[in-house]
Amino acid sequence: MSEVLEAPSAIGFEENENQKMISQMIKDFGEKEIRPNMMEWDETQEFPVDLFHKLGELGLMGVLVPQEYGGSGFGYHEYVTAIVELSKIDSSIGLSMAAHNSLCTGHIMMFGNEAQKSKYIPKLATGEWIGAWGLTEPNTGSDAGNMKTVAVKDGDHYVLNGAKNFITHGISGNVAVVIARTGEIGDSHGMTAFVVERGTPGFAGGRKENKLGMRASETAEMIFDNCKVHKDQILGEVGEGFIQSMKILDGGRISIAALSLGIAQGAYEAALQYSQEREQFNQPISKFQGIAFKLADMATKIEAAKLLIMQASELKNQGKSINKESAMAKYYASEIAVEAANDAVQIFGGYGFTKDYPVEKFYRDVKLCTIGEGTSEIQKLVISRAILK
């Protein structure tokens, strides 16, 4: 494979030794455990739970979790590297790993008390348990403040009723962080976050979505029917659930930006290699300006997306606000990833339309990146509000 595939590190953002180790570890693991099975998982929409237990053994299910809770204790640069490398192989696996880390585990880690963290984080960080996170509902996607799932106080308990949809690991998750309304509709301080374990009476997985892409990452409903949860399962204070969620999504945007970058790089590398091997008119198609310029555009936009992600990650590591920066990274990376996957299919021509080559799957998977954890339109809303303050 050409040396051009290895993009240079941006000045001031060189890969550290941990990132290099993670990158090589995932490449080796992916070739052995993921690539041989990924198309079968894709065709059957199988969520490979056992694979995630193995990822836990590698420390990838608790990348950001301190070592005292069983995690790897790394920062956001290492976390981004892990998502990118997984997503270059199979973005479904990258998506599930990212959702587990940044949403469920991240929410408990950031807002849980010591008892809650000690109880749940070690199981999540080691991959013994899979985590889910429930904010979205059938009629409230971007408009999460109007959620219909309610939690009504009943002595020392709360009774949850309602449904969440488009939930990663909605059926297979061992534990879920669920946001439910405890106050008035539309009140940003009228929602509360609960930790609900699988097996709790009244908590069940619902319909599994039949998706265009990311088919090995389980997306399903979570249903609550008179589900009784003790007040000790509240994360933070009553009424803080929505505010907490917005902070969690700031970090989650870095996850989806990294997922997008992985897909873009995977599509670019496949297209670059193919263009140098495929001959037409007695020369490699990379010699034709129409193809070479597509590759130049892809490489440039990938590098720009990488810098935006690195900036957001660095600010996150420093504990600074990343509201605008993470939205910019997620917005730009997801949009250019769609372009990169589209151009890669075009470079492959008819072969790009078949499942024998990797770009067909990248093309299907990538669209979710402009939708999940806040659509591109919502990112522009976040960015515009930040710059117009």
Side-chain angles (χ1 to χ4, degrees):
M1 197 173 284
S2 168
E3 289 184 12
V4 181
L5 298 186
E6 295 299 327
S9 294
I11 295 171
F13 287 116
E14 290 82 4
E15 271 194 334
N16 61 42
E17 289 304 313
N18 289 331
Q19 287 174 277
K20 292 174 183 175
M21 176 208 51
I22 290 167
S23 180
Q24 191 58 54
M25 178 182 73
I26 292 174
K27 285 174 183 173
D28 295 341
F29 177 84
E31 291 304 318
K32 180 183 176 185
E33 300 285 350
I34 300 175
R35 199 176 298 280
N37 304 303
M38 57 189 256
M39 291 312 293
E40 181 182 347
W41 296 334
D42 184 77
E43 293 285 345
T44 61
Q45 288 209 101
E46 178 187 347
F47 175 56
V49 175
D50 287 344
L51 180 81
F52 288 91
H53 296 322
K54 292 178 183 177
L55 289 176
E57 292 169 8
L58 295 179
L60 295 173
M61 298 298 272
V63 180
L64 300 164
V65 173
Q67 292 179 349
E68 59 262 35
Y69 294 104
S72 298
F74 290 135
Y76 263 76
H77 293 310
E78 291 86 357
Y79 177 53
V80 163
T81 296
I83 298 172
V84 168
E85 291 300 333
L86 280 173
S87 303
K88 282 165 67 174
I89 302 168
D90 185 350
S91 38
S92 294
I93 306 306
L95 173 64
S96 274
M97 174 269 197
H100 170 94
N101 273 277
S102 72
L103 299 179
C104 180
T105 306
H107 200 136
I108 298 171
M109 196 68 228
M110 188 177 289
F111 296 107
N113 58 38
E114 191 54 43
Q116 292 165 336
K117 287 192 280 191
S118 297
K119 182 177 182 180
Y120 295 112
I121 296 297
K123 291 181 179 179
L124 290 164
T126 57
E128 179 186 347
W129 278 15
I130 305 291
W133 190 77
L135 178 67
T136 301
E137 296 184 3
N139 295 311
T140 56
S142 300
D143 184 19
N146 275 318
M147 66 177 57
K148 302 294 189 289
T149 298
V150 295
V152 178
K153 198 169 190 308
D154 180 16
D156 286 340
H157 292 79
Y158 281 80
V159 180
L160 276 63
N161 280 288
K164 300 290 180 178
N165 77 331
F166 297 135
I167 306 305
T168 305
H169 316 142
I171 295 170
S172 298
N174 302 93
V175 63
V177 172
V178 182
I179 318 303
R181 187 162 54 80
T182 49
E184 297 300 315
I185 288 180
D187 179 5
S188 62
H189 293 280
M191 288 157 274
T192 302
F194 298 86
V195 183
V196 188
E197 292 182 36
R198 189 71 59 182
T200 302
F203 173 34
R207 184 173 69 96
K208 182 176 177 178
E209 301 295 341
N210 186 9
K211 299 178 296 183
L212 168 71
M214 302 286 192
R215 290 169 60 83
S217 177
E218 179 185 277
T219 305
E221 292 177 314
M222 293 194 303
I223 297 169
F224 301 90
D225 182 10
N226 291 321
C227 177
K228 206 169 189 179
V229 179
H230 195 272
K231 65 181 181 181
D232 288 347
Q233 298 301 100
I234 292 172
L235 289 168
E237 300 297 327
V238 172
E240 291 183 350
F242 184 76
I243 307 300
Q244 292 174 4
S245 297
M246 294 304 102
K247 291 178 181 176
I248 292 299
L249 286 173
D250 277 346
R253 290 181 188 123
I254 295 178
S255 301
I256 302 301
L259 179 69
S260 304
L261 179 61
I263 295 173
Q265 286 189 334
Y268 164 71
E269 291 177 10
L272 178 62
Q273 182 177 3
Y274 182 80
S275 73
Q276 293 169 318
E277 296 170 351
R278 170 71 167 171
E279 291 195 356
Q280 293 287 275
F281 305 102
N282 301 314
Q283 60 181 326
I285 62 172
S286 60
K287 297 290 185 183
F288 297 105
Q289 192 179 79
I291 301 299
F293 279 16
K294 280 188 190 298
L295 292 167
D297 281 340
M298 292 162 79
T300 302
K301 289 173 181 177
I302 286 169
E303 203 64 22
K306 192 185 300 180
L307 287 167
L308 283 169
I309 295 167
M310 287 174 172
Q311 174 183 243
S313 297
E314 183 62 24
L315 290 171
K316 182 69 173 172
N317 281 343
Q318 293 175 14
K320 295 180 180 177
S321 172
I322 57 164
N323 182 253
K324 179 187 73 174
E325 288 78 8
S326 65
M328 284 180 167
K330 195 271 188 189
Y331 167 53
Y332 185 77
S334 64
E335 291 291 340
I336 69 101
V338 170
E339 291 180 31
N342 183 56
D343 284 343
V345 171
Q346 194 70 19
I347 289 169
F348 271 77
Y351 292 112
F353 207 65
T354 71
K355 293 183 183 291
D356 296 328
Y357 292 85
V359 293
E360 177 270 346
K361 184 174 182 299
F362 286 133
Y363 185 77
R364 286 186 291 109
D365 286 351
V366 74
K367 189 55 195 169
L368 179 72
C369 296
T370 68
I371 299 168
E373 294 198 37
T375 62
S376 291
E377 291 74 17
I378 288 294
Q379 304 313 318
K380 286 194 272 191
L381 184 65
V382 171
I383 295 162
S384 62
R385 282 177 176 172
I387 63 178
L388 293 170
K389 268 184 182 177

